[in-house]
Amino acid sequence: MARQDRAIRTRRSILEAAARVFGERGYASATVEQILNRAGVTRGALYFHFSSKEEVALGVLEAQMPIDRLPERSSKLQKLVDHGMVMAYRLQHDPLVQAGVSLALDQGARELDRNSAFRAWSDQLEQILTEARGQGELLPHIDVTDTAELLTGAFSGVQAMSQASCNRADLGHRVSVLLRHVLPSISTPAMLAALDLSPERGERVFQEYRESSPEAATTVTRS
Amino acid sequence: MARQDRAIRTRRSILEAAARVFGERGYASATVEQILNRAGVTRGALYFHFSSKEEVALGVLEAQMPIDRLPERSSKLQKLVDHGMVMAYRLQHDPLVQAGVSLALDQGARELDRNSAFRAWSDQLEQILTEARGQGELLPHIDVTDTAELLTGAFSGVQAMSQASCNRADLGHRVSVLLRHVLPSISTPAMLAALDLSPERGERVFQEYRESSPEAATTVTRS
């Protein structure tokens, strides 16, 4: 294994250990020592990657950010759909993504900017909606900021409800329901008819991303 | 003050004190003593109303349940809208409703059934949607369970995002955006044109409810 690969894996194993420790104890009462013990790495290895517990937590929060290089689509509204569906799939399968979302909801983590994930998501979706507008895919009255923030907030609540009721087993269905309720209000009818909003789309697009993208190996999902 | 009024006020002041204590310390580390001190009531008064800390917490959770007797509307979809708008208004103004929502998101409160608020809301909305269907207000393909659960989850996330970004100052606007994005996908066009989805509706309907309902005095909102 090349040195760089090993460093990437060590970083990932520290983040996964931290995710479990934060999940069990809450951010406020977790310590660097507990993370070291759980990860089975030396203090030097941890401080090579992270300067503090807060920085480890920022790494965990980072895991839930939108993926930069999802496959391009000629329809930008399909790209919008793909972002939501892939996030649903990752939330079901990647413990680090799950931990990032829990940490963003942990009211004891006061020194963290827990708002950053909301902002990153609504900025990303607003950019895609603006591209969709440029291509004539949107109905004329749409305010892209309102729509982007609505989708971000609604997704967050839908995943929380899915977690509470069945540990996210039905999240693909629920996100598909969200999109089927919102897209008809923002998309031109011709574009709407061409969109794939099926619950299985997240897994297919995520596999496509993993096969095409060199950095996808570091955002592996366990199956 | 009649004895019954006094009992209602004592119960309310215990719940408000508990709401603040839970908010500051989290449910898990809060104690009955802290609630007594904050409320300025005797132990006997507290145990007259509640048998345990858990039962106090259930009382706080209760505050976020849908109001049973909102004013009736000939359009059931308008009643659906009114429930969302009134909840937005109460969340902005009633500390007990705010505390109920925080407690439902407190991952340290393991012994509480934090799912009960999600269920109460989706059951209430499903019943209203079923009435709307009976009156021919819904598009034929709508699955009322899916729509009710979507609205419940989406509202929950939208209010969390509004709280994180501006302490819920823009919640009326955000809930109006949610409804304007979802209603066109479920309502017949003629009914849609007759709905009032404006952000100020919550306050108007809540005042109407307070003036008409005898029990509204116990769910006062501070202005």
Side-chain angles (χ1 to χ4, degrees), chain A residues 10-31:
Chain A
T10 302
R11 185 174 189 280
R12 168 96 195 175
S13 71
I14 293 166
L15 290 175
E16 289 189 352
R20 288 195 297 274
V21 172
F22 294 153
E24 287 163 15
R25 299 171 181 265
Y27 172 77
S29 56
T31 66

Side-chain angles (χ1 to χ4, degrees), chain A residues 24 110 115 118 122 146-147 149-150 152-154 157-158 161 164-165 173-174 177-178 180-182 184-186, chain B residues 24 102 110 115 118 122 146-147 149-150 152-154 157-158 161 164-165 173-174 177-178 180-182 184-186:
Chain A
E24 287 163 15
R110 290 180 206 275
N115 218 356
F118 279 141
S122 52
D146 275 352
T147 302
E149 294 190 351
L150 166 66
T152 301
V158 163
M161 192 167 164
S165 75
H173 171 70
R174 283 180 190 266
V177 168
L178 167 63
R180 284 189 281 114
H181 278 77
V182 169
S185 299
I186 67 173
Chain B
E24 288 163 16
S102 294
R110 290 181 206 276
N115 217 356
F118 279 141
S122 53
D146 274 353
T147 302
E149 295 190 350
L150 166 65
T152 302
V158 163
M161 191 166 164
S165 75
H173 171 70
R174 284 181 191 265
V177 168
L178 167 63
R180 284 189 281 115
H181 278 77
V182 170
S185 300
I186 67 174

Side-chain angles (χ1 to χ4, degrees), chain A residues 44 52 55 58 64 73 93-94 100 119 122 135 146 173 175 179 222:
Chain A
S52 63
E55 213 173 87
L58 291 175
Q64 70 181 307
R73 307 293 176 202
H93 294 91
D94 189 334
R119 276 202 309 275
S122 52
Q135 295 190 179
D146 275 352
H173 171 70
V175 171
L179 294 167
R222 292 167 182 164

Side-chain angles (χ1 to χ4, degrees), chain B residues 17-194:
Chain B
R20 288 195 296 274
V21 172
F22 294 154
E24 288 163 16
R25 300 171 179 265
Y27 173 77
S29 55
T31 66
V32 168
E33 280 65 34
Q34 290 157 358
I35 298 169
L36 291 176
N37 289 340
R38 188 65 70 97
V41 302
T42 64
R43 184 172 296 269
L46 189 143
Y47 282 107
F48 174 77
H49 291 283
F50 305 100
S51 67
S52 62
K53 179 177 89 167
E54 184 179 350
E55 215 173 85
V56 176
L58 291 176
V60 174
L61 281 172
E62 182 91 5
Q64 69 181 307
M65 297 300 182
I67 290 178
D68 270 345
R69 303 193 198 180
L70 277 194
E72 275 304 325
R73 308 292 176 203
S74 56
S75 160
K76 297 309 162 191
L77 283 179
Q78 186 66 61
K79 192 173 165 192
L80 184 88
V81 167
D82 288 358
H83 266 285
M85 294 290 194
V86 165
M87 184 59 179
Y89 180 76
R90 293 173 70 215
L91 256 173
Q92 286 180 308
H93 294 90
D94 189 333
L96 202 48
V97 179
Q98 293 159 5
V101 168
S102 294
L103 195 54
L105 292 172
D106 181 345
Q107 303 197 5
R110 290 181 206 276
E111 67 257 53
L112 297 178
D113 176 9
R114 297 183 295 117
N115 217 356
S116 61
F118 279 141
R119 275 202 309 274
W121 271 98
S122 53
D123 288 351
Q124 172 82 61
L125 298 184
E126 184 171 336
Q127 187 188 323
I128 298 171
L129 285 165
T130 304
E131 291 168 17
R133 156 157 296 158
Q135 296 190 178
E137 298 181 41
L138 289 194
L139 294 175
H141 68 283
I142 295 303
D143 176 320
V144 292
T145 307
D146 274 353
T147 302
E149 295 190 350
L150 166 65
L151 285 169
T152 302
F155 183 101
S156 157
V158 163
Q159 75 78 26
M161 191 166 164
S162 173
Q163 182 194 18
S165 75
C166 60
N167 207 20
R168 299 199 181 93
D170 65 2
L171 185 56
H173 171 70
R174 284 181 191 265
V175 171
S176 174
V177 168
L178 167 63
L179 293 167
R180 284 189 281 115
H181 278 77
V182 170
L183 267 297
S185 300
I186 67 174
S187 170
T188 58
M191 183 51 63
L192 185 63

Side-chain angles (χ1 to χ4, degrees), chain A:
Chain A
M1 190 158 53
R3 186 171 300 180
Q4 197 188 349
D5 282 356
R6 198 155 43 213
I8 288 171
R9 273 158 212 262
T10 302
R11 185 174 189 280
R12 168 96 195 175
S13 71
I14 293 166
L15 290 175
E16 289 189 352
R20 288 195 297 274
V21 172
F22 294 153
E24 287 163 15
R25 299 171 181 265
Y27 172 77
S29 56
T31 66
V32 168
E33 280 64 36
Q34 290 157 357
I35 297 169
L36 292 176
N37 290 340
R38 188 65 70 94
V41 302
T42 63
R43 184 172 296 268
L46 189 144
Y47 282 107
F48 174 77
H49 290 283
F50 304 100
S51 66
S52 63
K53 179 177 87 165
E54 184 179 349
E55 213 173 87
V56 177
L58 291 175
V60 174
L61 281 173
E62 181 91 5
Q64 70 181 307
M65 298 299 182
I67 291 179
D68 270 346
R69 303 192 198 181
L70 277 194
E72 275 303 324
R73 307 293 176 202
S74 56
S75 160
K76 297 308 162 191
L77 284 179
Q78 185 65 61
K79 191 173 165 191
L80 184 87
V81 167
D82 288 357
H83 266 286
M85 294 290 195
V86 164
M87 184 58 180
Y89 179 76
R90 293 173 70 214
L91 256 172
Q92 287 180 307
H93 294 91
D94 189 334
L96 202 48
V97 178
Q98 292 160 5
V101 168
S102 294
L103 196 53
L105 293 172
D106 181 344
Q107 303 197 6
R110 290 180 206 275
E111 66 256 51
L112 298 178
D113 176 9
R114 297 183 294 117
N115 218 356
S116 61
F118 279 141
R119 276 202 309 275
W121 271 97
S122 52
D123 289 351
Q124 172 83 61
L125 299 184
E126 184 171 337
Q127 186 188 324
I128 297 171
L129 285 165
T130 303
E131 291 168 16
R133 156 155 298 158
Q135 295 190 179
E137 298 181 41
L138 289 195
L139 294 174
H141 68 284
I142 294 304
D143 176 321
V144 293
T145 306
D146 275 352
T147 302
E149 294 190 351
L150 166 66
L151 285 169
T152 301
F155 183 100
S156 158
V158 163
Q159 75 77 26
M161 192 167 164
S162 172
Q163 182 194 18
S165 75
C166 60
N167 207 20
R168 299 200 182 92
D170 66 1
L171 186 56
H173 171 70
R174 283 180 190 266
V175 171
S176 174
V177 168
L178 167 63
L179 294 167
R180 284 189 281 114
H181 278 77
V182 169
L183 267 297
S185 299
I186 67 173
S187 169
T188 59
M191 184 51 64
L192 185 62
L195 295 177
D196 177 3
L197 304 176
S198 65
E200 302 74 27
R201 186 165 176 93
E203 176 165 8
R204 285 201 304 274
V205 175
F206 188 71
Q207 299 308 346
E208 191 186 339
Y209 160 71
R210 283 178 76 176
E211 285 158 19
S212 69
S213 180
E215 77 267 37
T218 64
T219 59
V220 276
T221 279
R222 292 167 182 164
S223 50

